[in-house]
């Protein structure tokens, strides 16, 4: 191995290490901010398979607008008193799971490049906001959906 190759590898390692350190610091800052505002909340913001993931199983009413501005790619809500999804309109969201959440309107998903959506045990009836979505996976279980037509591809 030549010196230039060794230098390149070391430089790449240093950059990768700094990037990882920066990401971890940012995650820690965001988690602390969220936990300060949501005492006793069962939440976690983490990197999972190189995707910024937010998980919440908080049965209390929480102002999720605090998540706006955080580039979350994966959202998982389990049993949350989530009234609407308007806070996600500008997120680079790729995956969304709503389990036992009272969300009834998916219009906030209209312009999101969602690839994965799982809706389980919820009152969702209308999938028309997903009409132009590029979903690879749609999982519906125990929901009130009246028509699959908006998500069926020709």
């Amino acid at each position: 191995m030549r010196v230039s190759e060794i230098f390149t590898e070391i430089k790449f390692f240093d950059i990768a290490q700094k990037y990882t350190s920066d990401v971890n610091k940012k995650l820690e800052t965001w988690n602390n901010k969220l936990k300060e505002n949501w005492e006793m909340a069962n939440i976690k913001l983490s990197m999972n398979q190189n995707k910024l993931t937010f998980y919440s199983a908080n049965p209390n009413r929480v102002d999720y607008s605090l998540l706006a501005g955080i580039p979350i790619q994966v959202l998982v809500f389990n049993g949350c008193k989530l009234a609407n999804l308007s806070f996600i309109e500008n997120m680079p969201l790729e995956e969304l799971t709503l389990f036992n959440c009272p969300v009834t309107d998916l219009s906030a998903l209209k312009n999101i490049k969602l690839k994965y959506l799982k809706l389980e045990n919820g009152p969702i009836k209308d999938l028309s906001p997903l009409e132009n979505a590029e979903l690879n996976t749609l999982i519906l279980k125990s929901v009130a959906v009246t028509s699959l037509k908006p998500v069926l591809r020709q």
Side-chain angles (χ1 to χ4, degrees):
M1 187 176 269
R2 292 184 294 187
V3 172
S4 62
E5 291 172 335
I6 294 170
F7 178 74
T8 302
E9 282 188 24
I10 291 171
K11 188 174 181 182
F12 176 76
F13 177 76
D14 288 344
I15 291 169
Q17 194 172 20
K18 181 181 183 335
Y19 174 76
T20 302
S21 175
D22 289 347
V23 167
N24 287 336
K25 285 178 189 171
K26 202 161 211 172
L27 279 173
E28 186 177 345
T29 301
W30 283 333
N31 271 314
N32 288 338
K33 178 183 176 190
L34 293 174
K35 286 180 181 174
E36 282 173 16
N37 288 285
W38 299 334
E39 289 182 31
M40 303 298 289
N42 184 1
I43 61 164
K44 184 172 185 186
L45 189 62
S46 62
M47 287 299 286
N48 187 4
Q49 297 177 343
N50 291 328
K51 292 182 180 180
L52 187 57
T53 301
F54 177 80
Y55 171 84
S56 178
N58 187 2
N60 302 317
R61 289 225 180 263
V62 171
D63 178 11
Y64 287 103
S65 67
L66 288 172
L67 297 175
I70 300 177
I72 296 172
Q73 295 158 294
V74 179
L75 278 172
V76 178
F77 291 103
N78 184 351
C80 298
K81 298 234 184 323
L82 190 60
N84 69 65
L85 298 172
S86 61
F87 64 92
I88 68 171
E89 288 178 339
N90 294 314
M91 285 184 183
L93 198 59
E94 295 177 12
E95 301 176 23
L96 175 64
T97 297
L98 298 174
F99 179 74
N100 284 333
C101 296
V103 173
T104 57
D105 182 13
L106 297 177
S107 60
L109 302 177
K110 193 170 188 163
N111 296 315
I112 293 186
K113 306 240 187 261
L114 209 56
K115 294 177 183 165
Y116 174 96
L117 178 61
K118 181 177 183 181
L119 304 171
E120 191 169 341
N121 297 333
I124 298 289
K125 291 181 182 177
D126 182 19
L127 297 179
S128 63
L130 304 173
E131 193 168 23
N132 296 317
E134 298 175 17
L135 287 170
N136 294 329
T137 304
L138 174 63
I139 300 170
L140 302 171
K141 185 175 179 184
S142 299
V143 291
V145 170
T146 56
S147 173
L148 294 174
K149 190 174 182 179
V151 293
L152 295 177
R153 299 218 170 100
Q154 301 288 338

